[in-house]
Amino acid sequence: MADVKIKHYTQPAGGWGALRATLQHLRHEGIVAQGTALLLKSNQAEGFDCPGCAWPEPDAHSTFEFCENGAKAVAAEATSKRVTRDFFSAHTVSWLAQQDDYFLEDQGRLTEPMVYDPESDHYRPIGWEAAFARIAEHLRGLASPDEAIFYTSGRTSNEAAFLYQLFAREFGTNNMPDCSNMCHEPTSLGMPESIGIGKGTVTLEDFDHADTLLLFGHNPGTNHPRMLGTLREAAKRGCRILVFNPLRERGLERFANPQDPVEMLTNHGAQIASHYYQPKIGGDLAIALGVSRWILEEGTPDAAFIAEHTHGFEAFRDTVLNTPWAQIEEMSGLSHADFQEIGRIYERGQAAIVTWGMGITQHKHAVATIQMLVNLLLLKGNMGKPGAGAAPIRGHSNVQGDRTMGIYEQPAPAFLQKLGAEFGFDPPQKHGFDVVASIAAMLDGRARVFFGMGGNFANATPDTAKAHAALRQCDLTVHVTTKLNRSHIVHGKEALILPCLGRTEIDIQHGKPQGVTVEDSMSMVHISQGMKEPASPHLMSECAIVAHLAVATLPESRTPWLGLIADYDRIRDRIARVVDGFEDFNQRVHRPRGFHLHLPPRSRIWPTATGKANFLAHDLGALQAERFVPQTDKRVFTLMSIRSHDQYNTTIYGFDDRYRGISGIRKVCFMNAADMQNMGFQAGDQVNITSHWTDGERLAEGFMLVAYDIPQGCLAGYYPELNVLVPLSSHDDRAHTPTSKSIAVTLAAA
């Protein structure tokens, strides 16, 4: 770890800093020449298809469309480092458990299947056939299929996800928690009730036509940097960009495009936010209600749109107008002057897009907040016209596509009916476990086998102590992965690591290279094909792993598992007959840029129970009364977990958070300077953080205070280090998403 340094960052996001960081990571992975070539041509015959975040590609066949984090993802996957049987022979699992997460993933690519040997406390090599036989033996030995849990990461391709959910349902369970349970589940639940679908309603081209953008609760500079290019173009043509974020984030203020010679030479960049508002953590619902009230009182709602296309306007109007301004301002953290300014800007706009991320979804009332944001769009008719609509910003590259393919613990009956008819079996109808319920089920013995298709369940989940105990309670844990991570060290009584191909690697089945597809945040589906030699000859594709496991576990299955993986076009033909919107899948996906899924609200068609878009009102007073208030004499702060710039999800690339001025450390707590002074602390002090919940307290020790531009009463720190503070039972009222952005905490000197 480098020396700890805290220094305010004054440069624009992107620019020379991004280029330097990219080169440093290519050097660190030992692939400067090879990595540079990959960044110019990866997963596409004539360009770069980023395997990282789910932000759409402006042109799937263009070069130099990667961002810094995309480059880090490619470098990490293409690394020259290897984790072989010699590595596991040299290190016990107990020793590995003492190492940090950066160390574990930095060892490189896994090269062959491994099985845990409890007698020696080492992982040992195991053949693929023996590995599948051992998993199948455990699965067939369960008293009920519902004692197995099949988790999915957002990196899994459409083809692998479809096979995976098919296997789980043929096995007999809907226990399919996924990373959506921890991020955008409130979007998937709240939006269908409002407009009939749980996806964004805009395309990338809509950003070219919008005159107003309202950005809530996300930080593109770190989490989806390619969005900055889109925001830069919008800002340069005069689009008003209103940012709502408790923290001052450099990527939302100024961005220098590495492809622009003038911006690189001047190192000045383009201004992104025209207006930047810093609400209290969790104040976004009150903001949406407050702007709606301004429009109702002083603006001009789109009466024609409301009359023709919406339902429930009167109840919504009454709720909004009966909410006192004092309550709106207190809960939001914004002033009345702020609301007047925001209202006037939104009123003048002819086409507005509202975007949001996990700063919205990881709260107790996340579903309500999302529905209020949709209400705000409906109020001005900003749905179903060019340049207008809702844009939830997803995380990993195919987290949305996995859900489309049926990775869901509460599948729709119509989907199950088509799936059963296509493959000749009766799918289970009983709803399965989401992430929170899965941890509880493992803890109390109702679930005994955990199978993880990618991801890092041990680090991604809330309430770290309980999540780790849950995994250790299992009879068997299995993880499909490319690199070592915490979930392989926190394992069940028996454990297997199954190494798979990465997205950038050549996937050969029956002598023919295969491509896989993904669905981005804006419902564009496109194909990508790896072009790099695999890290080891002993790797299998995710599709092949699922198929071989199914053959070993389901001897009576009528599905031609091995025949399907011989040519992934065969998988796509089956998807086309089961998944709505994927008709003629193979024909359409091979076109340049692929195809866009039909979204009825874009045509002002509303597949809701009322046949219209629904205004869904939420009373601030009632929601505020439901908030948990700790019984303590100490000052209570609201803490939110965030990502460092040197990480992607649970993957830690290093110890620098460049845009926030942090170097060499991750255990930090960002705090308002006035709060620090009032508490008798100074920047650099070490503190212990205690979270408070109905079931008791949780402790995170040894965090360094950093003075930062954040509202008083609010704190922030990095995920996953702060997951230990998030109670398992503290989640959204309906979607069960952990409240990682709203944790009641107190501080004490370490």
Side-chain angles (χ1 to χ4, degrees), residues 609-644:
T610 63
K612 294 188 175 184
N614 295 310
F615 280 98
L616 299 172
H618 297 280
D619 182 81
L620 288 187
L623 297 180
Q624 188 176 34
E626 295 174 10
R627 295 187 61 151
F628 169 70
V629 180
Q631 299 299 309
T632 176
D633 294 333
K634 297 181 179 179
R635 181 171 179 193
V636 178
F637 292 85
T638 302
L639 172 69
M640 62 185 288
S641 66
I642 57 178
R643 290 179 186 162
S644 160

Side-chain angles (χ1 to χ4, degrees), residues 9 11-22 68 228 254-260 263-265 267-269 658-659:
Y9 189 77
Q11 306 301 313
W16 292 109
L19 292 181
R20 282 192 297 270
T22 298
E68 179 184 341
L228 292 181
R254 190 166 292 279
F255 170 63
N257 189 343
Q259 300 179 56
D260 188 307
E263 291 186 3
M264 293 299 286
L265 286 173
N267 200 31
H268 182 67
R658 188 169 70 252
Y659 298 151

Side-chain angles (χ1 to χ4, degrees), residues 681-701:
F681 292 133
Q682 293 182 349
D685 285 353
Q686 297 285 317
V687 297
N688 296 334
I689 309 173
T690 300
S691 68
H692 301 263
W693 188 240
T694 56
D695 62 358
E697 300 177 347
R698 290 159 176 81
L699 178 65
E701 297 182 289

Side-chain angles (χ1 to χ4, degrees), residues 14 58 75 86 158 199 252 454 586 694:
D86 292 338
N158 286 329
K199 301 180 180 182
L252 290 167
N586 276 310
T694 56

